[in-house]
Amino acid sequence: MTAHPDVPYTVPNKGIRRLERTFRRPVIEIDVSMTQRTKSNQMSAKTRSGEPTVAGDRPYNFKEQVGHLLRRNYQRHLAIFQAVAADRQLTSVQFVTLCAISDYGPSSQAQLVNSTAIDQATIRGIISRLVERKLIKLSADPLDKRKVVASLTGQGRQLLQEMIPSAQEITIETVAPLNPAEREAFMFLLRKLIEGEDGGN
């Protein structure tokens, strides 16, 4: 006899009476679906308590999660940046902003947000500090007088030229633990992770 998968399987009454006569004791009907539900409830309880659900499973460990690992590696990169940078007062996001203005020309705040992927509140503070250091200057956009754009000063261009060799060394030091093939794969995967967000730019 084949049991329907959605219906609990029980031993037919006629079969129960035959088994009782054979073994001289009552036969208990078994509800297979109830047994399965009990196991499922036990599994859910283990999951909620953080216990391994099956042999070999491990509880959640934040140190093995991608966010934690990315943050730790970014902290390491920032430490290398501050140690190697030609100008110790310049932060990595300030340097990226100077690079963007150099690459794309005079840029508005919105354009810098798009080109650097730095949020608007942060870029506003970066612009303010770079202006204070006289590394950039603000002026009206020649094509739209209502728009303010940032451009490099002579000091800003000079600092950028001094920083480029340092920036190259910073990249080398950041990926130094990897062999050449691993470095290429690492850079490929980093770019792939952001392809859906900004087209890989």
Side-chain angles (χ1 to χ4, degrees), residues 58-74:
R58 292 178 295 175
Y60 183 88
N61 183 349
F62 76 91
K63 291 185 178 180
E64 296 180 357
Q65 307 309 310
V66 64
H68 177 76
L69 295 173
L70 287 173
R71 182 175 60 83
R72 287 292 306 276
N73 277 283
Y74 185 60

Side-chain angles (χ1 to χ4, degrees), residues 55 66 104 146 188:
V66 64
Y104 299 106
R146 297 169 298 178
F188 170 80

Side-chain angles (χ1 to χ4, degrees), residues 106 111 139-149:
Q111 289 169 328
S139 58
D141 188 337
L143 301 178
D144 185 353
K145 299 299 182 181
R146 297 169 298 178
K147 184 187 297 183
V148 175
V149 294

Side-chain angles (χ1 to χ4, degrees), residues 80-168:
I80 292 171
F81 185 96
Q82 292 302 320
V84 177
D87 184 331
R88 301 301 173 85
Q89 296 180 37
L90 194 70
T91 66
S92 63
V93 287
Q94 290 173 2
F95 173 65
V96 166
T97 303
L98 292 177
C99 289
I101 296 172
S102 176
D103 290 348
Y104 299 106
S107 305
S108 68
Q109 181 174 299
Q111 289 169 328
L112 287 173
V113 168
N114 291 332
S115 61
T116 63
I118 299 171
D119 66 87
Q120 190 167 356
T122 303
I123 204 73
R124 189 181 301 119
I126 291 171
I127 291 172
S128 177
R129 284 185 285 275
L130 292 177
V131 168
E132 287 176 8
R133 292 194 59 190
K134 296 181 171 55
L135 298 175
I136 64 172
K137 61 181 179 181
L138 301 179
S139 58
D141 188 337
L143 301 178
D144 185 353
K145 299 299 182 181
R146 297 169 298 178
K147 184 187 297 183
V148 175
V149 294
S151 55
L152 294 179
T153 63
Q155 287 179 246
R157 289 192 188 89
Q158 182 179 348
L159 178 58
L160 201 53
Q161 289 176 353
E162 295 172 358
M163 274 294 301
I164 295 301
S166 298
Q168 292 169 336

